[in-house]
Structure formats: structure tokens, C-alpha cells
Amino acid sequence: MECKRLWKSCVPVVANLLLGIPAIVPAFLIWYVLSNGPLAELGWTDREPTENDGMWLWLVFVVPVVACFGGLWTLLNLWMRRRLPAAAPPGPYWTLAATLTLTPYLLGVAFG
């Protein structure tokens, strides 16, 4: 019985780490739009020199990609959270899920 409980507790951790691999695409797109838009206006980043199409074109790509991934991520985590052996408090669960999902992207930025 204890092995089954441990298995059910590890599934969300592994699933969110695996979801982090395709999450690299929406995370990069968000960073690209922010670094060429609002953060460049504030002087915190430099614009891409060849980026002269404007932000509207990028938002046409970014919004659907982020919305699809965010919807999938939310639905999967809601489903997994309901099946945990013990009711996990929502705050720590969602924080850990988001952190685990962003881990592959952050590792790629740090070591890439």
C-alpha cells in the first residue's frame, strides 16, 4: 500500500518535469516578446536588431501557443491533484508544479 501511495505522489513531479520540455517553446516566446517590447522600452534589454515587424505579429503566434500549453498544463494538473493520496494544499502544489515545469527552461538558460 505504501508503494502505491509513493507512486501516486511521484507522478505529478515526473509529469511536470516532462511537461517542462515542451514548455521551453512558450517560455522562450514570452521572453522574446518581453525583451523586445516592454523591457526594451524600459532600457533593461536591447532589442533584436533585425526585429522590425512590430509586436502584433509576434502576439499572433505567442498568445495561441501560450494559451494551448497553459490550458493543457492546467487540466493535467487539476486531474493529477485530484488523484493524490492525501489532499495537497493548493498553494504549495501549484507553486511546485510551476517550478518543476519551468526547470528545463531555466536549466537551458543557465547552462546553454
Side-chain angles (χ1 to χ4, degrees):
M1 185 65 174
E2 186 65 32
C3 183
K4 187 176 182 179
R5 173 183 249 173
L6 180 64
W7 173 254
K8 282 188 173 185
S9 297
C10 290
V11 168
V13 171
V14 172
N16 279 301
L17 280 173
L18 289 175
L19 280 171
I21 295 169
I24 292 171
V25 173
F28 170 75
L29 289 174
I30 290 170
W31 169 249
Y32 190 84
V33 168
L34 288 176
S35 67
N36 283 301
L39 297 179
E41 292 292 326
L42 292 170
W44 294 356
T45 61
D46 293 326
R47 288 189 193 277
E48 179 72 31
T50 60
E51 181 57 56
N52 59 1
D53 295 331
M55 286 290 109
W56 179 248
L57 179 65
W58 278 104
L59 291 177
V60 169
F61 293 112
V62 173
V63 170
V65 169
V66 171
C68 286
F69 180 80
L72 176 69
W73 181 82
T74 302
L75 289 174
L76 283 172
N77 274 293
L78 284 171
W79 180 75
M80 287 187 291
R81 187 169 177 274
R82 278 191 221 123
R83 281 154 180 70
L84 282 175
Y93 177 84
W94 289 105
T95 303
L96 181 63
T99 303
L100 288 169
T101 303
L102 289 174
T103 298
Y105 177 73
L106 296 175
L107 287 174
V109 169
F111 298 111

